Amino acid sequence: MAFNLKQEAKKPERLTGGHRMCAGCGAPVVVRGILRALNEEDHAVVSCATGCLEVSTFIYPYSAWTDSFIHSAFENSAATVSGAEAAYVAMKRKGKLPQGETKFIAFGGDGGTYDIGIQSLSGAMERGHNMLYVCYDNGAYMNTGIQRSSATPKYADTTTSPAGKVVPGKPQSRKDLTMIMVNHNIPYVAQTSPLGSKKGGLKDLHEKAQKALYTPGPAFINALAPCPRGWRYDTPRLLELCDLAVDTCFWPLYEVVDGVYHITYFPKEKLPVEAYLKPQGRFRHLFKAGNEHLIENIQKEVDDRWAMLLKLADNA
Amino acid sequence: MSKKLSVPGVDVSWKDITPGGIVEAGTCREFKTGDWRSVKPVWKQDACKQCLLCFPVCPDSSIPINKDGKREDFDYDYCKGCGVCANVCPFHAIDMVDED
Ligand code: SF4
Ligand code: SF4
């Protein structure tokens, strides 16, 4: 299971260039990382909620996917993939399919997962389909113009939670979807992120994707996917932002195998949350004089959630 | 589907749309996004240590790996010039320069 970048690099690319995601987008990095964890000889059936990823990688007649891809609506990618998996199981049983293994993967952004698709996701997980659902979380409806979602961090400036004189961005806290999925009692749940080269690059994501894909039964991965447009930072800094998200414990990396929590990354030095907020334009208003209490409020929430995770984990 | 890709509404009518909207996999390769770039990455082969840390973080799959597992020069057909690879390279083997 160990991650050998040189070996993995030799596998053929499963997400082609020529898709229409923005320059520097985090989502295709997550997708490439997940697909690279497939065994080369295995085939995949993929569907996406109609967020950025779907509308940019599957513009008829262009598909960026070298595997089978099914167009879905916003709310039902988990249902679509679970149906395909059920059909596959039935056809296999009747001997109607050639040898070889097929993997079933649904992708959704946070809008399509935390909000719009949560009922079909919950149902597919509860029914126990042998599939992986991957949420690439960029914390808003970026595709339609940066509207807040239930994954948008507290006080972020979005077009439907604009920071102004009276309201300092989104007033509510994020929903903790990873924990919600853990409570579906499925065999594998993980939270991950691509990281910079000093922190192992794609290692954490790759190892979790491999476990998620090859553990029988339903699996869920929540991956951080910075959006340079919505977060308002310069594109080259993609992985710096991921590094800061994990070093501030804003986005802890952990996995839950058969209900047992395991933290997969401990920051050498836990950084104050400002380090993560400061490079992002969507939090700029928090650094105005008089708004110190807002950052303290975010810090407290990050600390409380991290403390809870430490209590739950078997290795803290 | 025919090998020739056509853009619905431009050079085909609705009657030409494939049944069920089925298309071949990987057809995005026919769509070049390289003209989005305003800056482009330049690979300094001498400085490159072939650590391969750049190739998985390219959002546009524009750093090809050959059969020997070595990176090759950028695929400018698709590279959008985001600069993520240059920022990640530990050996400063990628420069970003203005497109001319
Ligand atoms: S500049 Fe961006 S798109 Fe171009 S090769 Fe580097 S990472 Fe890929
Ligand atoms: S990250 Fe830099 S040194 Fe490593 S393979 Fe890429 S260009 Fe070469």
Side-chain angles (χ1 to χ4, degrees):
Chain A
M1 280 282 213
F3 178 55
N4 181 332
L5 181 62
K6 305 246 156 183
Q7 282 305 319
E8 296 301 328
K10 287 186 191 165
K11 290 181 179 172
E13 185 62 50
R14 288 176 186 250
L15 187 78
T16 72
H19 61 68
R20 265 51 73 72
M21 302 294 272
C22 298
C25 176
V29 179
V30 168
V31 171
R32 293 183 63 217
I34 299 281
L35 298 178
R36 198 160 292 278
L38 285 160
N39 294 337
E40 196 173 328
E41 63 278 13
D42 292 347
H43 179 70
V45 173
V46 179
S47 185
C48 292
T50 45
C52 298
L53 183 65
E54 139 82 21
V55 302
S56 305
T57 60
F58 199 79
I59 301 172
Y60 183 89
Y62 300 105
S63 170
W65 306 81
T66 65
D67 288 284
S68 303
F69 185 91
I70 314 172
H71 169 80
S72 274
F74 221 141
E75 68 283 7
N76 65 345
S77 65
T80 301
V81 171
S82 70
E85 188 265 352
Y88 169 80
V89 170
M91 287 170 79
K92 201 147 197 186
R93 189 177 56 233
K94 292 178 188 159
K96 288 187 179 168
L97 288 175
Q99 290 300 307
E101 203 172 345
T102 298
K103 290 290 168 189
F104 294 83
I105 312 172
F107 288 97
D110 49 286
T113 309
Y114 285 66
D115 296 347
I116 301 177
I118 197 168
Q119 56 85 10
S120 68
L121 168 61
S122 179
M125 296 290 114
E126 184 270 335
R127 290 191 301 275
H129 293 280
N130 190 10
M131 63 177 275
L132 165 61
Y133 190 104
V134 180
C135 174
Y136 66 96
D137 184 342
N138 54 26
Y141 291 83
M142 300 307 185
N143 170 39
T144 46
I146 319 170
Q147 290 85 11
R148 57 87 87 195
S149 77
S150 61
T152 301
K154 199 172 194 176
Y155 304 140
D157 179 32
T158 74
T159 54
T160 48
S161 64
K165 286 210 179 76
V166 181
V167 181
K170 185 190 167 190
Q172 300 87 359
S173 300
R174 289 167 45 82
K175 187 192 274 182
D176 195 333
L177 182 69
T178 311
M179 295 266 182
I180 294 172
M181 298 322 294
V182 171
N183 284 293
H184 281 65
N185 299 320
I186 55 179
Y188 191 80
V189 176
Q191 187 158 294
T192 184
S193 173
L195 295 172
S197 36
K198 289 205 186 78
K199 296 191 192 299
L202 272 282
K203 180 178 189 291
D204 190 83
L205 193 141
H206 180 92
E207 288 176 351
K208 286 172 178 165
Q210 205 168 32
K211 284 186 207 171
L213 284 163
Y214 291 97
T215 300
F220 176 83
I221 287 181
N222 203 359
L224 190 67
C227 165
R229 280 288 292 120
W231 297 15
R232 287 185 266 141
Y233 65 90
D234 288 337
T235 52
R237 304 190 70 182
L238 171 67
L239 296 146
E240 280 176 48
L241 281 162
C242 294
D243 287 354
L244 290 168
V246 300
D247 274 342
T248 55
C249 296
F250 173 85
W251 188 263
L253 303 186
Y254 64 99
E255 61 186 2
V256 185
V257 183
D258 293 323
V260 180
Y261 281 79
H262 192 81
I263 295 171
T264 55
Y265 178 80
F266 289 94
K268 278 205 189 77
E269 182 203 348
K270 182 170 170 290
L271 299 177
V273 76
E274 281 102 316
Y276 176 63
L277 305 175
K278 192 92 204 223
Q280 303 183 48
R282 62 177 174 160
F283 296 118
R284 187 170 300 139
H285 56 290
L286 300 181
F287 293 88
K288 283 199 190 119
N291 279 346
E292 294 77 8
H293 65 290
L294 299 174
I295 297 184
E296 280 164 31
N297 184 306
I298 298 174
Q299 184 68 62
K300 184 175 181 315
E301 198 174 309
V302 167
D303 291 347
D304 288 351
R305 287 190 183 191
W306 176 241
M308 181 173 72
L309 196 60
L310 290 173
K311 258 190 223 150
L312 290 167
D314 69 347
N315 60 334
Chain B
M1 177 193 153
S2 70
K3 275 282 173 215
K4 184 181 169 298
L5 289 167
S6 43
V7 181
V10 178
D11 51 4
V12 290
S13 76
W14 62 270
K15 284 178 253 170
D16 301 317
I17 291 175
T18 47
I22 294 172
V23 295
E24 277 171 38
T27 45
C28 254
R29 287 192 195 97
E30 305 294 324
F31 193 96
K32 308 288 157 71
T33 50
D35 57 359
W36 291 23
R37 269 194 317 274
S38 57
V39 286
K40 73 171 183 182
V42 173
W43 183 37
K44 295 186 284 183
Q45 211 168 336
D46 297 346
C48 175
K49 302 264 195 285
Q50 289 291 349
C51 68
L52 303 189
L53 288 165
C54 54
F55 104 91
V57 300
C58 170
D60 293 284
S61 312
S62 300
I63 305 178
I65 303 292
N66 66 22
K67 284 204 176 58
D68 303 324
K70 297 246 167 25
R71 72 153 286 181
E72 295 186 343
D73 202 359
F74 291 105
D75 190 340
Y76 293 113
D77 278 354
Y78 309 109
C79 165
K80 294 172 187 155
C82 66
V84 170
C85 55
N87 215 35
V88 145
C89 174
F91 304 102
H92 307 286
I94 302 170
D95 281 342
M96 298 303 294
V97 303
D98 283 343
E99 279 283 349
D100 33 44

